[in-house]
Amino acid sequence: MSQRTFSIIKPDAVRKGDTGAILAEITKAGFKIVAIKKISLSKAQAEGFYHVHAARPFFGELVEFMASGPIFPMVLEKDNAIADLRKLMGATDPAKADEGTIRKMFASSIGENAIHGSDAEDTAAFEIGYFFAGLELK
Ligand code: ATP
Ligand code: MG
């Protein structure tokens, strides 16, 4: 069944000019881009997005990084979108990511790993609503 997920092309990938190449991998894999925009997050906005990680030792670094430059948040749709995007992204640490995954191709470290993807239906719903209004999701 068709499902929506949420993704972000992170600041490292945008800075390197990899946005177009990453979008090509995503559309080649069969995802439809429902919504996309370019924005820069404040630290408070980045903290709100990653609130589930607030207690983790790397939280400060993560927030600093996500607020370090423009990002492309987007909503993607296909059958089994949440799990399939996670597979296409590869492991959090690009050194452990499989060949052909976006993180293997475009990420440089566990902190600067090119792309975000929702990990479950409830987090996808929260994340889509954090970045997009209903009228942007037709
Ligand atoms: P994301 O949520 O961004 O899609 P993920 O689900 O693969 O990534 P999470 O465990 O949710 O991984 O961690 C969120 C983000 O925090 C990671 O993408 C990474 O940028 C950062 N992160 C995770 N673990 C570490 C770590 N050990 N050191 C530094 N940064 C980390
Ligand atoms: Mg995650």
Side-chain angles (χ1 to χ4, degrees):
M1 231 192 52
S2 187
Q3 184 183 53
R4 286 181 177 187
T5 191
F6 175 77
S7 183
I8 296 176
I9 299 178
K10 293 185 178 183
D12 56 326
V14 178
R15 265 194 289 276
K16 287 182 199 155
D18 289 334
T19 301
I22 292 173
L23 287 176
E25 293 299 324
I26 288 170
T27 53
K28 249 191 282 171
F31 292 87
K32 179 181 148 206
I33 300 171
V34 176
I36 185 167
K37 58 188 166 189
K38 185 184 189 190
I39 58 164
S40 296
L41 294 180
S42 67
K43 278 203 234 171
Q45 289 168 336
E47 280 169 7
F49 177 68
Y50 273 125
H51 71 277
V52 292
H53 295 308
R56 311 275 287 270
F58 56 81
F59 186 63
E61 195 185 315
L62 174 60
V63 164
E64 196 74 41
F65 166 61
M66 289 302 288
S68 71
I71 59 171
F72 284 88
M74 59 192 154
V75 178
L76 302 174
E77 188 172 282
K78 82 185 277 297
D79 289 353
N80 207 27
I82 294 172
D84 284 0
L85 180 66
R86 299 283 301 184
K87 258 185 256 159
L88 179 64
M89 286 163 47
T92 308
D93 180 353
K96 297 182 182 147
D98 290 338
E99 283 303 327
T101 63
I102 290 174
R103 283 171 168 163
K104 179 73 177 186
M105 289 186 274
F106 301 103
S108 48
S109 68
I110 192 168
E112 307 213 347
N113 60 5
I115 188 166
H116 163 81
S118 305
D119 56 13
E121 274 186 38
D122 57 341
T123 47
F126 163 76
E127 291 171 0
I128 289 169
Y130 195 79
F131 282 94
F132 292 96
L135 282 173
E136 298 175 287
L137 298 169
K138 295 291 173 195

